[in-house]
Amino acid sequence: MNLNMQGLKGIVTGGSRGIGRAVMENFLAEDMKLATCARGKAALDEAANTWSSSTYPVFTKPFDVTDNSAYEAWFKEAIEHLGGLDVLVSNVSTLESKEGIDRWKNRFEVDLMQHIKLTELALPYLKKSASPSIVFVASIASVMINNSPSELEYGAIKAALTSYAMKLANQLGQFNIRVNVVSPGPIVHKNGHWDLMKNKQPEFYNKVASLSAFNRLGSPEEVANPITFLSSPRASHITGTNLRVDGATVKTVNF
């Protein structure tokens, strides 16, 4: 299927590794014009080097998404580089090391507010697009009540993000802007959290993998593929959807 994405202008946050990088690879294969960011300069530079032969130069910049001034500066530069915006994939998350109320505050900033800030920056440009789309990357942790203790805040904030996206989809339909959510289950990629857990705590890793109908964890590509479709003009009548990509780890009927 031709996704009709050639020349579309896209922003993907957290594009240096994992799901974000897989989305970038898919978008580049569709000949899109792209901009991305990540907190780690080394990983971003390595990714950018692999994209150097793409049809359109990719704009990259490292910064922390909780730094509002840096966020706004990067976004302005990205829009200038792209010449507009059609597709937004808001993907950034992070592992949390703080405890107590500071843990909640950090989760709130990284897993909710930075998505909202990015959306507010993007909306004036998306309203000018002929094929505007937003995809938020959330998590099945938002609906699971038996998460590990370290995912208490993460799940609650991802639930807030999903609720925000569904309400936004209803409000933005008048501008033909589609808003969808993709909620992955545990995803394993090189040097990522679950890759490290596989070596450090293999019993726990295998227990989590066994929750899937396929008895395994997912890959970034398996999440990036539906994100790519939902971002494309081919998904023109899909909005307000939360798509689980979890190998049926969540054991409920998904009406």
Side-chain angles (χ1 to χ4, degrees):
M1 178 185 289
N2 182 351
L3 295 180
N4 293 337
M5 300 183 82
Q6 185 174 14
L8 290 184
K9 307 170 183 73
I11 285 178
V12 180
T13 57
S16 66
R17 60 202 297 267
I19 294 169
R21 181 158 180 175
V23 172
M24 287 290 292
E25 301 287 351
N26 279 2
F27 283 178
L28 287 168
E30 297 293 329
D31 275 341
M32 289 179 61
K33 301 175 182 177
L34 297 172
T36 190
C37 63
R39 185 170 56 179
K41 185 177 186 302
L44 189 58
D45 286 347
E46 185 275 326
N49 185 58
T50 69
W51 302 330
S52 60
S53 62
S54 60
T55 303
Y56 304 102
V58 178
F59 176 72
T60 64
K61 190 173 184 179
F63 69 94
D64 188 329
V65 295
T66 62
D67 184 335
N68 289 335
S69 60
Y71 212 158
E72 292 178 10
W74 164 77
F75 183 83
K76 181 179 179 181
E77 291 178 73
I79 291 295
E80 289 174 353
H81 173 84
L82 296 172
L85 184 63
D86 303 299
V87 173
L88 179 65
V89 176
S90 193
N91 165 65
V92 168
S93 185
T94 186
L95 294 176
E96 185 54 63
S97 59
K98 294 189 177 183
E99 298 296 335
I101 198 67
D102 287 336
R103 189 180 184 91
W104 280 98
K105 288 179 178 178
N106 274 19
R107 278 292 175 209
F108 177 74
E109 285 296 328
V110 174
D111 285 301
L112 181 61
M113 284 311 302
Q114 67 88 12
H115 294 282
I116 295 173
K117 286 184 284 192
L118 177 60
T119 303
E120 292 297 317
L121 290 170
L123 282 178
Y125 301 95
L126 290 171
K127 288 177 181 178
K128 299 175 184 178
S129 169
S131 187
S133 171
I134 303 172
V135 176
F136 295 102
V137 180
S139 171
I140 62 168
S142 63
V143 297
M144 298 183 73
I145 60 173
N146 61 338
N147 293 334
S148 67
S150 64
E151 289 189 325
L152 173 63
E153 304 86 359
Y154 178 74
I157 299 301
K158 287 296 190 183
L161 175 63
T162 302
S163 177
Y164 164 74
M166 299 301 100
K167 293 173 174 62
L168 198 65
N170 185 62
Q171 293 181 10
L172 296 181
Q174 61 182 310
F175 303 108
N176 201 39
I177 300 173
R178 297 182 300 104
V179 184
N180 291 292
V181 175
V182 169
S183 291
I187 301 298
V188 60
H189 61 90
K190 186 177 180 180
N191 297 325
H193 171 71
W194 286 106
D195 191 34
L196 298 176
M197 292 296 287
K198 187 175 183 179
N199 295 315
K200 291 182 178 180
Q201 299 184 41
E203 289 186 7
F204 179 65
Y205 177 94
N206 291 333
K207 179 180 178 181
V208 172
S210 71
L211 298 176
S212 163
F214 303 128
N215 198 39
R216 65 175 176 83
L217 270 57
S219 71
E221 293 75 19
E222 289 174 311
V223 182
N225 291 339
I227 290 174
T228 303
F229 174 72
L230 287 173
S231 298
S232 78
R234 290 297 191 183
S236 57
H237 202 52
I238 303 176
T239 194
T241 291
N242 178 18
L243 177 64
R244 297 176 187 167
V245 185
D246 68 341
T249 294
V250 177
K251 307 301 183 188
T252 62
V253 177
N254 192 10
F255 286 107

